[in-house]
Amino acid sequence: MSSTPRASDAAAVQMPLIEARDLRVAFQMQRGVFQAIRGVSFSLGQEKLAIVGESGSGKSTVGRAIMRLNPPSAIVTAERLAFKDVDLLSASRKELRRLRGRHISMIMQDPKYSLNPVATVGEQIAEAYRTHHKVSNREARERALTMLEAVQIRSPKRVYDLYPHQVSGGMGQRIMIAMMLISDPEVLIADEPTSALDVTVRLQILAILDDMVKERGLGMIFISHDLNLVRSFCDRVIIMYAGRIVETVAAADLDNVQHPYSRGLLNSLPRLDQKRDRLPVIQRDDSWLEAV
Amino acid sequence: MGRFFKRNKIKRAAQSLASVLVTLLLLVTLTFFLGQVMPVDVVSRLVGPDADQATYQATYERLGLDQPIIVQFGIYISRMLQGDFGTALLTGHQVLDDIVRVFPATIELGTLALLIGAGIGVPLGVLAAVQRNRPADHIIRVVTLLGHSVPIFWIGLMGLLLFYSYLGWVGGGGRVEIYYDGLVETRTGLLLVDSLLAGDTEVFWSAVRHIILPATVLGYASMASLCRLTRSFMIDQLSQEYVTAARVKGVSEWNVIWHHAFRNIRVQLLTVIALTYGSMLEGAVLIETIFAWPGFGQYLTNNLLLGDMNAIMVCVLLVGVIFITLNMLADLLYKIFDPRTVQ
Amino acid sequence: MSAQASEVPAKRKKVAFLDREATSVTEAFLQRLLVGVHTFLSNGLAVAGLSIILLLIAVAAFAPWIATHDPNLQNLSMALKPPSSVNWFGTDEYGRDIFSRIVYGSRVTLYIVTLVTITVGPIGLIVGTVSGYYGGTVDMIVMRITDLFLAFPGLILTLTFVAILGPGLEQAVLAIALTGWPAIARLARAETMTIRSSDYIAAARLQGASSLRIIFGSIIPVCMSSVIVRLTLGMASVILTAAGLGFLGLGAQPPTPEWGAMTSAGREYMLDSWWLVTAPGVAIMVVSLAFNLFGDGLRDVLDPKSK
């Protein structure tokens, strides 16, 4: 896919799955240009990397920029934005299509909107497989059924022929996971995969996701606004504010963050083990916009 | 639970049927009273200007015109229920017979026009949506706006001038060359079908040469509106999350457009097309006049010019019935073909 | 990229008036007006439409000075002459100058459009808002009637009314207006239904405002923009319908220089004298297109959500 000569095997192991250096995304608005992502750099290995931040911080835009799925009005630039040794910015549409689903995949927020309402769920899962593999309809169907089983759906044959409006949110998200992992990608971007779900099914979905990630040795970018979730689920955490990374920490050290914004985020969480009168509101500082 | 749904469904069907019946009754009432206010002396039209007073009076009473208006209305309704819609002054036949005779010509023309309009309009609309705000979209926008702005009778005339008299590519007025007229046995009333059934290719090609221009002109207006609707439906769908999800899977843009987005507007589009079919009658009035097409539109126009109120009212009633039926059909299509209505 | 970034503040400064929070009603109104005008002017096609409409009005107003001939003056020795430096668009079967007839015809077109619009607009608006505001039986009856009207293709219904009223320009206007109001009423009703339950209407009612006052003071102004958009877009179809009626001989009667009737009259001579039907048809098309373009642009400004 790329003409650059392959480095030694040792280096290839070291090579990150995703590497972003000074990633910037701007949107062409009616009046001027809006900078959504303003110089973000990180790399992803075989790990679970969380990106947290409040809404509007640009965390979802980062995910979509990696998939190159921003709307046409978006202007994406970077010093480097790559999957392994493939430059995502200069890749052709065809190359990108080969990457999507097969190498990099994404689980979206709400299965109610991200599943095609007029196609059966089985058809949609099978399509994900058939897009990258030349197989018969029958084999694609078998694969899809196996995958439905893998996400712990009890009667896959029945579910296969259901339409999205006939399944619950939790099952919809399992279907989404099945659909996005059926072609064995190496990188999975999960964009708030549980925030549209009932609290009771969130943990189930996370457990399934966790299993799948471990089993397949995936690199995962977990986009969320839920610090507690991220703390227990991920290895490393990137904290974003207004299109920039303010801090990167190991999930275990999350309580020791330095940046005032990160501290603010943590302090505004309610806790069961400590009595707190009133949750503080984050005190913002314009200097954060320039920092790091 | 299942039974509850069923009963609910029957109730809803009954309600919609009742509402259709009310509309039809209103329609009949309206046409009757419109006939009443017409400043036309029906009797003298029937008996002729030279008839003596006694004949006039006899006809007057035979038509029930001496009765109070409410009784006349009752007679009008009961006659209609018996299938008696009165005689047309123009032809001397029963209006209903006339309509049955001329209608196939209009159906043939309208169907072909719809095929042309939808066949071009829908793909253009999809293209415009995909190419939104790019040059192709702007060009299509101008083409469709022209379709909304051009007088259909004028395009018809210009088409005749260019393709018939200057280029000679198509036939002129009428359904076939005059010397082929009546050669083919009428079975369906659709000349293209009848001539094929009779195995007469000469008549068939003559009929094709004659129908192609009026059908294209008639189809143009529907093409414009179908194109604009398709565009806005598609733009709606293309911004949905499931489209992004399909792209995440690596699905090709062609399949994203046709297998995902378009599949979601199919039913919506089908209902719109059903309604467009009805509006063909409107264009047919003008087109049939220009192309001497012996169909419903021409029949209505001739009656209008003659002022035969009864015949006009029957025509209008029929148009109303067709429209209401198509509306119901469109509703039904939605219920049958949209998987979202599956319980 | 960095060049674009540095451009942003510069652009902000230029439109500072629009970005700052309005401190008075007048200022808010001015801001909205400016944004609207800006949106409209950035739509080249809409501006073209408006220009053509203004041109049409000018031509109609100054017809006697623009026309090169008397539009009704017959001169059989000059009949069916092709376009020339004397008769720019040629002459018709009676030797009348087609250019001058087109110029005077603009008056007929404007007359029809204006008359239809000023009847249909207020009637539809009042019927729709009253029906939507009161609901209940009134609403049901009104909606049944509009249903009935909307169950027909417009032209067929107009033709029926013309059949009853008899052919003629005034009758055509009346027939078109009779067919046109239900669509406006429907629109106004739908808008009223959504406004009716809003808090500021409840507040007005609590302050003791009468129904009439609420309808005219609070509901109609809100419905106004979408009704205006619909009316403007409707003008194009009014022009086409009127021309169609003229063409069928049911609209304006000769010798009125109505464009549709002119097309119809020219039909017989069309094969030898193409200019008889060409010029009036182009005139109808251009004007109708202008109203469509203008209406489209207006919609983007006044009613952006319906786009």
Side-chain angles (χ1 to χ4, degrees):
Chain A
M1 271 177 241
S2 171
S3 55
T4 47
R6 276 229 164 223
S8 70
D9 280 341
V13 174
Q14 301 284 308
M15 183 182 276
L17 289 168
I18 297 285
E19 189 182 7
R21 265 208 309 270
D22 197 25
L23 171 66
R24 290 168 183 273
V25 182
F27 289 97
Q28 189 70 55
M29 309 292 269
Q30 261 186 339
R31 291 199 257 140
V33 176
F34 171 72
Q35 304 279 344
I37 304 294
R38 313 184 303 157
V40 161
S41 307
F42 66 91
S43 67
L44 173 80
Q46 280 193 5
E47 58 178 334
K48 286 180 282 186
L49 173 67
I51 302 182
V52 294
E54 55 194 2
S55 32
S57 60
K59 53 192 193 305
S60 290
T61 310
V62 171
R64 298 207 173 197
I66 294 168
M67 304 259 2
R68 301 288 281 118
L69 278 173
N70 305 97
S73 61
I75 310 154
V76 183
T77 54
E79 216 173 284
R80 181 169 164 82
L81 180 66
F83 165 75
K84 288 186 174 174
D85 56 354
V86 185
D87 182 4
L88 293 170
L89 286 180
S90 63
S92 69
R93 285 159 156 262
K94 205 175 157 194
E95 280 170 335
L96 284 174
R97 271 210 309 276
R98 251 201 331 248
L99 285 178
R100 288 179 194 150
R102 182 75 184 82
H103 297 279
I104 313 174
S105 205
M106 179 160 83
I107 291 169
M108 293 150 82
Q109 185 169 354
D110 193 342
K112 209 159 57 203
Y113 301 110
S114 45
L115 289 170
N116 188 338
V118 299
T120 64
V121 297
E123 208 180 314
Q124 297 185 54
I125 300 172
E127 185 195 29
Y129 191 71
R130 279 216 321 274
T131 303
H132 299 288
H133 303 86
K134 284 239 167 297
V135 293
S136 64
N137 287 347
R138 202 193 147 86
E139 196 184 334
R141 187 189 154 88
E142 287 306 317
R143 287 272 176 175
L145 287 172
T146 316
M147 207 59 205
L148 279 173
E149 231 164 320
V151 294
Q152 297 170 23
I153 283 174
R154 271 192 217 109
S155 43
K157 285 209 168 108
R158 187 182 66 84
V159 172
Y160 190 94
D161 290 316
L162 292 181
Y163 286 97
H165 73 275
Q166 294 167 309
V167 303
S168 66
M171 194 186 279
Q173 205 57 312
R174 289 182 213 197
I175 290 162
M176 191 77 191
I177 294 172
M179 182 164 91
M180 291 311 180
L181 291 182
I182 193 169
S183 287
D184 266 326
E186 289 138 90
V187 174
L188 179 66
I189 301 166
D191 189 353
E192 307 235 13
T194 56
S195 54
L197 303 178
D198 274 356
V199 184
T200 47
V201 295
R202 279 188 190 172
L203 289 179
Q204 291 172 23
I205 297 296
L206 281 176
I208 292 170
L209 206 52
D210 201 26
D211 283 353
M212 307 285 276
V213 169
K214 273 188 192 135
E215 211 172 275
R216 293 158 187 249
L218 294 176
M220 176 159 89
I221 297 177
F222 189 86
I223 298 165
S224 178
H225 60 262
D226 189 337
L227 281 172
N228 281 333
L229 192 75
V230 155
R231 189 201 318 257
S232 57
F233 190 63
C234 296
D235 307 319
R236 213 150 54 94
V237 181
I238 290 176
I239 296 166
M240 278 188 73
Y241 176 70
R244 286 178 190 275
I245 294 177
V246 294
E247 200 157 6
T248 308
V249 290
D253 297 332
L254 199 56
D255 287 326
N256 306 322
V257 282
Q258 300 302 315
H259 194 276
Y261 174 71
S262 317
R263 289 233 60 85
L265 272 186
L266 276 176
N267 287 335
S268 59
L269 286 175
R271 302 189 61 153
L272 280 177
D273 54 349
Q274 265 173 288
K275 185 170 161 53
R276 310 183 59 171
D277 287 342
R278 180 177 284 175
L279 296 173
V281 173
I282 299 177
Q283 301 297 322
R284 282 153 212 278
D285 189 328
D286 278 351
S287 68
W288 299 350
L289 295 175
E290 314 302 329
V292 185
Chain B
M1 203 60 181
R3 233 176 118 193
F4 171 75
F5 275 122
K6 218 173 220 169
R7 192 180 298 166
N8 221 16
K9 236 177 199 168
I10 292 170
K11 197 176 158 198
R12 231 178 308 152
Q15 267 172 354
S16 70
L17 194 69
S19 118
V20 167
L21 285 178
V22 169
T23 309
L24 278 182
L25 188 69
L26 269 173
L27 194 63
V28 173
T29 317
L30 182 79
T31 54
F32 174 77
F33 286 101
L34 285 182
Q36 291 296 312
V37 291
M38 255 304 266
V40 173
D41 188 349
V42 188
V43 182
S44 67
R45 275 265 168 82
L46 269 180
V47 296
D50 306 325
D52 55 56
Q53 189 59 37
T55 325
Y56 187 96
Q57 193 59 34
T59 316
Y60 189 80
E61 279 164 25
R62 187 170 59 80
L63 290 175
L65 293 178
D66 52 341
Q67 308 281 339
I69 233 176
I70 194 75
V71 177
Q72 285 190 44
F73 184 57
I75 298 172
Y76 182 75
I77 296 275
S78 71
R79 269 179 46 209
M80 250 177 207
L81 288 177
Q82 290 159 23
D84 176 9
F85 290 87
T87 313
L89 298 176
L90 184 69
T91 58
H93 297 299
Q94 275 275 316
V95 179
L96 206 57
D97 293 345
D98 279 348
I99 291 179
V100 168
R101 188 171 42 79
V102 299
F103 219 78
T106 300
I107 290 183
E108 190 170 37
L109 183 63
T111 308
L112 192 62
L114 188 72
L115 288 178
I116 294 171
I120 298 172
V122 171
L124 271 190
V126 172
L127 181 68
V130 172
Q131 298 281 322
R132 191 180 180 189
N133 291 338
R134 299 217 203 115
D137 183 26
H138 293 306
I139 292 170
I140 292 170
R141 185 173 180 175
V142 171
V143 169
T144 56
L145 266 177
L146 269 179
H148 282 292
S149 312
V150 145
I152 191 168
F153 56 87
W154 182 70
I155 302 235
L157 289 178
M158 286 292 131
L160 272 178
L161 198 59
L162 182 63
F163 295 109
Y164 171 63
S165 67
Y166 286 152
L167 297 171
W169 290 356
V170 299
R175 296 177 81 181
V176 276
E177 292 304 328
I178 195 87
Y179 40 86
Y180 288 134
D181 213 9
L183 270 190
V184 175
E185 183 197 347
T186 305
R187 284 186 233 187
T188 57
L190 310 174
L191 197 56
L192 291 175
V193 179
D194 283 345
S195 57
L196 280 183
L197 284 179
D200 196 331
T201 48
E202 245 177 275
V203 174
F204 176 76
W205 285 114
S206 173
V208 168
R209 276 165 51 90
H210 277 78
I211 200 171
I212 194 74
L213 185 58
T216 308
V217 173
L218 190 54
Y220 182 42
S222 65
M223 185 277 274
S225 62
L226 285 175
C227 178
R228 297 197 92 184
L229 282 169
T230 307
R231 178 182 180 272
S232 74
F233 290 166
M234 277 301 275
I235 284 177
D236 248 21
Q237 293 300 323
L238 286 172
S239 65
Q240 301 287 322
E241 280 289 274
Y242 72 81
V243 168
T244 309
R247 291 195 178 121
V248 167
K249 290 194 279 185
V251 172
S252 70
E253 204 53 22
W254 175 267
N255 283 344
V256 165
I257 292 163
W258 292 102
H259 289 177
H260 287 271
F262 187 74
R263 195 163 159 185
N264 271 273
I265 69 164
R266 275 190 317 198
V267 180
Q268 221 176 346
L269 212 53
L270 213 58
T271 60
V272 173
I273 289 175
L275 297 179
T276 308
Y277 200 27
S279 66
M280 289 289 175
L281 285 172
E282 186 172 33
V285 171
L286 291 162
I287 286 298
E288 290 184 2
T289 306
I290 292 161
F291 288 91
W293 196 263
F296 178 75
Q298 203 188 39
Y299 183 71
L300 176 60
T301 314
N302 287 338
N303 280 312
L304 278 167
L305 293 173
L306 195 72
D308 183 352
M309 211 55 210
N310 182 46
I312 295 170
M313 283 311 151
V314 178
C315 290
V316 171
L317 192 63
L318 182 80
V319 172
V321 169
I322 290 174
F323 251 64
I324 291 169
T325 315
L326 283 171
N327 255 311
M328 278 170 51
L329 188 75
D331 246 22
L332 203 68
L333 284 175
Y334 228 113
K335 282 182 188 139
I336 295 174
F337 288 114
D338 195 325
R340 273 162 290 197
T341 57
V342 174
Q343 278 300 324
Chain C
M1 195 59 223
S2 56
Q4 264 163 338
S6 64
E7 250 176 47
V8 178
K11 239 179 178 169
R12 282 260 166 80
K13 238 169 227 162
K14 220 169 78 189
V15 290
F17 173 68
L18 294 179
D19 282 347
R20 102 172 163 232
E21 207 164 311
T23 49
S24 70
V25 176
T26 328
E27 197 177 328
F29 176 77
L30 275 178
Q31 282 184 347
R32 270 200 56 188
L33 192 73
L34 249 152
V35 171
V37 169
H38 184 80
T39 313
F40 186 86
L41 288 182
S42 63
N43 182 345
L45 289 174
V47 174
L50 180 62
S51 315
I52 295 173
I53 294 169
L54 291 177
L55 186 71
L56 176 80
I57 295 171
V59 167
F62 303 111
W65 292 277
I66 294 170
T68 51
H69 295 70
D70 178 342
N72 291 324
L73 184 69
Q74 300 190 3
N75 179 358
L76 292 178
S77 66
M78 284 295 288
L80 298 175
K81 289 276 185 276
S84 66
S85 57
V86 183
N87 303 105
W88 296 348
F89 292 172
T91 62
D92 68 5
E93 70 274 25
Y94 297 113
R96 294 175 295 196
D97 178 52
I98 293 180
F99 173 74
S100 305
R101 287 179 67 75
I102 300 257
V103 166
Y104 274 92
S106 64
R107 291 186 162 184
V108 182
T109 301
L110 265 185
Y111 172 79
I112 296 172
V113 168
T114 315
L115 221 54
V116 168
T117 307
I118 59 171
T119 1
V120 163
I123 293 177
L125 199 55
I126 288 172
V127 171
T129 47
V130 167
S131 163
Y133 183 78
Y134 287 107
T137 323
V138 184
D139 186 42
M140 210 196 74
I141 293 171
V142 170
M143 281 310 109
R144 273 273 156 260
I145 295 172
T146 54
D147 264 354
L148 186 62
F149 275 79
L150 295 173
F152 289 97
L155 184 65
I156 304 264
L157 204 57
T158 313
L159 284 173
T160 317
F161 287 127
V162 170
I164 296 164
L165 300 165
L169 186 57
E170 280 74 25
Q171 289 89 328
V173 169
L174 191 56
I176 296 173
L178 275 172
T179 324
W181 70 268
I184 301 293
R186 260 295 160 87
L187 182 68
R189 175 181 175 264
E191 295 257 325
T192 308
M193 304 274 268
T194 56
I195 304 165
R196 189 175 61 171
S197 50
S198 62
D199 289 341
Y200 70 90
I201 298 294
R205 213 176 287 146
L206 283 175
Q207 284 177 339
S210 67
S211 296
L212 207 65
R213 197 188 159 90
I214 291 176
I215 290 176
F216 279 90
S218 305
I219 292 182
I220 288 189
V222 180
C223 296
M224 218 46 171
S225 58
S226 58
V227 166
I228 288 176
V229 169
R230 177 68 68 87
L231 279 174
T232 316
L233 286 170
M235 287 178 187
S237 64
V238 167
I239 290 169
L240 290 182
T241 309
L245 288 178
F247 181 78
L248 290 172
L250 296 165
Q253 298 298 303
T256 315
E258 196 272 327
W259 296 341
M262 286 169 68
T263 313
S264 174
R267 250 177 96 189
E268 285 176 49
Y269 310 92
M270 180 178 81
L271 293 185
D272 304 310
S273 319
W274 54 268
W275 55 91
L276 256 65
V277 289
T278 311
V282 171
I284 299 168
M285 182 179 76
V286 168
V287 172
S288 153
L289 185 64
F291 276 106
N292 268 328
L293 291 173
F294 176 61
D296 247 21
L298 210 57
R299 174 171 53 190
D300 293 350
V301 175
L302 291 178
D303 199 13
K305 61 183 181 293
S306 75
K307 198 174 174 183

